[in-house]
Amino acid sequence: MRRQAVKVRLYPTEEQIQILAQHFGCARWWWNYGLNKCIETYQSTGKGLSQSGLNSLLPALKKDKETEWLRDCYSQVLQSVSLNLSRAYQNFFEGRAQYPKFKSRHHRQSIQYPQNVKQVGESLKFPGFLGKVRAKIHRPLDGTIKTVTVSKCPSGKYYASVLMEYESDYPACNTDGKVVGIDLGIKDFAITYDGEKTSKYPNPKHLAKYEKKLAKKQRIAARKVKGSNRRRKATRIVARVYEQVSNVRQDYLHKLSRKIVDNNQVVVLENLNVKGMVRNHKERDAISDTGWGAFVNFLSYKLERNGGKLVEINRWFPSSKLCSNCHYQINELPLDVRTWTSPSCGTHHDRDGNAAMNIRAEGIRMLSSFGTGEANANGEEVRPIRGRKPKMRHSSVKLEAHTVPQGQCG
Ligand SMILES: [Zn+2]
């Protein structure tokens, strides 16, 4: 059994927008009310409230004149809130998450339908008052539809994230085949080496144009008086351009990861925490914008579906400073030095191409040592105390969004 989520754009009618607004409002109110109840219960008993404990409060609220409007909300939507709230509390108690927060009507709005949503042609059919909502469905919803989350972005667009279940599993993971090493960079987005040739993939060209536009709109919004209508309008425009920027980026990342996965069985790259930690602040800002995290996720689930493998290598690995020919390691390689010559063997290196070669070689070494269970057998690698263990990434649920990245509006 495997699960997969797909995000689709929704185009609700005016009437459906009203219904959704009502549902968002009810769900938000119930979350905040329930959270209050949890806090009170916690103060008196030291425990939170379970999902059923929360649900048992609903019938009385629906009868109460003050809160009878809750009846307009599809009841499973409210029950989903109860489930999510009790989980959020559980996660907090078990140290996995922060204390649940109250929800504001100014942020992204969302509701969940735990079941009974169907695809009908180019629409999603929801239970309750909402009914059939027109949708842009990029790929067939060919699994069993489970939970569907409907959200409204700050830009005013509506999306549904459709979680599906499949009976069949992905093909078994197999590492026989081409291995590619990838060095993620700032100047070029990625440099790959597949054992035969080095390829450079620059950041998408039109991205810079949108980023300029975004900065301009942000400046305009910042000049408006807080809380004013003009400010609200300008903020909405900013949100829209922000979506354009991330769409361009997502599209690029999807195409590049597809190409790499179609041509290779094993993909090796550096653990991303490495890069963030090792490098300086100015660069980190640039990094957060390049979408490395999303790229690794895309690679990861595309490989999983193809029966391929993603190998992440550790932070201690000096991918840039090692001569890929003789393994001589130089001490310093400032970031602005793009080419260098190995003092030991005289090979002239392009900085990034050399790093991709080293990453690939290290991945192959790791794969073979995983196979025999002797990761540190040759004793020459010393793991620093803070380094994360190299890991084979495999996850069962990944979001495939062709239009919106998960981080933005998911
Ligand atoms: Zn050398």
Side-chain angles (χ1 to χ4, degrees):
M1 185 89 81
R2 61 192 171 85
R3 291 177 148 214
Q4 186 191 327
V6 169
K7 196 156 211 167
V8 298
R9 174 96 185 261
L10 293 180
Y11 299 90
T13 62
E14 279 305 316
E15 193 194 346
Q16 286 169 333
I17 286 173
Q18 295 301 319
I19 295 170
L20 280 170
Q22 204 173 26
H23 277 63
F24 290 142
C26 287
R28 192 177 59 237
W29 182 90
W30 172 230
W31 172 280
N32 290 340
Y33 181 90
L35 183 50
N36 241 329
K37 281 283 169 216
C38 284
I39 292 169
E40 284 172 21
T41 313
Y42 178 70
Q43 281 165 352
S44 56
T45 68
K47 284 179 190 161
L49 277 168
S50 66
Q51 182 197 8
S52 53
L54 284 162
N55 280 342
S56 69
L57 302 172
L58 282 168
L61 287 167
K62 287 181 182 176
K63 272 184 207 135
D64 190 328
K65 272 271 175 290
E66 294 270 296
T67 49
E68 63 180 9
W69 39 264
L70 279 172
R71 272 185 256 166
D72 294 339
C73 186
Y74 184 62
S75 60
Q76 289 194 347
V77 165
L78 295 177
Q79 285 159 18
S80 278
V81 173
S82 314
L83 178 64
N84 291 336
L85 181 56
S86 60
R87 271 190 195 153
Y89 236 84
Q90 196 68 28
N91 286 338
F92 163 72
F93 279 125
E94 286 165 19
R96 285 190 298 266
Q98 296 212 314
Y99 198 81
K101 288 191 178 75
F102 288 98
K103 292 194 192 285
S104 152
R105 68 189 178 89
H106 295 299
H107 294 130
R108 175 181 166 274
Q109 304 291 307
S110 75
I111 47 170
Q112 265 180 8
Y113 287 84
Q115 55 187 14
N116 297 332
V117 179
K118 291 185 183 72
Q119 181 185 359
V120 180
E122 288 295 286
S123 304
L124 288 181
K125 189 170 180 290
F126 292 87
F129 297 126
L130 190 55
K132 229 161 73 172
V133 183
R134 197 161 67 82
K136 194 170 182 180
I137 298 167
H138 293 276
R139 1 185 267 106
L141 302 176
D142 49 4
T144 310
I145 296 180
K146 298 304 219 187
T147 309
V148 177
T149 306
V150 179
S151 58
K152 184 189 179 192
C153 282
S155 65
K157 290 178 183 165
Y158 293 81
Y159 294 93
S161 173
V162 183
L163 182 69
M164 290 175 295
E165 235 171 51
Y166 293 82
E167 285 300 321
S168 64
D169 282 324
Y170 294 124
C173 178
N174 145 20
T175 57
D176 293 341
K178 246 177 149 179
V179 180
V180 67
I182 306 181
D183 184 38
L184 295 172
I186 306 277
K187 197 172 138 282
D188 289 304
F189 178 77
I191 294 97
T192 65
Y193 180 68
D194 64 0
E196 285 162 24
K197 66 174 199 302
T198 306
S199 316
K200 291 195 174 187
Y201 298 96
N203 277 298
K205 281 198 189 81
H206 34 308
L207 195 58
K209 188 185 83 188
Y210 281 112
E211 277 169 349
K212 252 185 209 156
K213 191 172 160 193
L214 180 63
K216 189 178 156 204
K217 300 292 180 194
Q218 276 168 336
R219 278 197 304 272
I220 292 172
R223 283 201 296 266
K224 310 281 183 213
V225 181
K226 268 191 186 162
S228 67
N229 257 333
R230 283 163 189 248
R231 170 79 165 230
R232 208 164 302 134
K233 260 184 209 159
T235 311
R236 187 171 275 217
I237 292 171
V238 169
R240 220 170 275 160
V241 181
Y242 193 76
E243 270 181 31
Q244 285 173 331
V245 171
S246 56
N247 287 353
V248 169
R249 193 179 284 139
Q250 294 291 104
D251 191 53
Y252 175 75
L253 298 180
H254 268 299
K255 282 181 183 144
L256 182 56
S257 56
R258 172 48 57 208
K259 185 176 172 185
I260 289 170
V261 170
D262 281 348
N263 289 315
N264 299 282
Q265 190 67 21
V266 178
V267 175
V268 190
L269 29 78
E270 283 176 300
N271 185 302
L272 284 185
N273 291 355
V274 182
K275 297 219 158 194
M277 271 193 280
V278 173
R279 294 180 171 173
N280 63 44
H281 279 289
K282 211 170 174 185
E283 235 189 310
R284 204 161 347 166
D285 291 341
I287 289 167
S288 62
D289 267 6
T290 50
W292 287 352
F295 183 61
V296 175
N297 271 343
F298 292 170
L299 281 172
S300 168
Y301 78 73
K302 286 181 172 127
L303 281 165
E304 189 180 357
R305 284 178 204 172
N306 276 20
K309 192 156 216 146
L310 184 76
V311 180
E312 285 180 293
I313 64 173
N314 226 327
R315 61 169 289 187
W316 49 264
F317 186 70
S319 61
S320 303
K321 295 180 195 163
L322 209 61
C323 168
S324 55
N325 183 43
C326 70
H327 295 139
Y328 181 87
Q329 188 181 337
I330 54 169
N331 289 327
E332 282 294 331
L333 189 63
L335 277 165
D336 51 342
V337 178
R338 305 315 302 179
T339 61
W340 58 284
T341 304
S342 164
S344 169
C345 71
T347 310
H348 193 62
H349 291 298
D350 168 77
R351 178 198 183 96
D352 301 315
N354 178 59
M357 284 180 191
N358 284 326
I359 288 169
R360 177 177 183 271
E362 176 62 9
I364 292 173
R365 190 196 68 80
M366 269 177 57
L367 272 181
S368 60
S369 53
F370 273 128
T372 56
E374 292 172 46
N376 287 320
N378 51 9
E380 63 185 49
E381 289 88 8
V382 181
R383 224 169 250 167
I385 302 149
R386 292 203 305 158
R388 269 175 61 185
K389 280 189 180 160
K391 103 181 168 197
M392 300 293 203
R393 193 186 275 254
H394 257 255
S395 48
S396 52
V397 181
K398 281 279 146 61
L399 188 81
E400 180 163 25
H402 286 283
T403 48
V404 189
Q406 194 166 14
Q408 245 85 65
C409 186

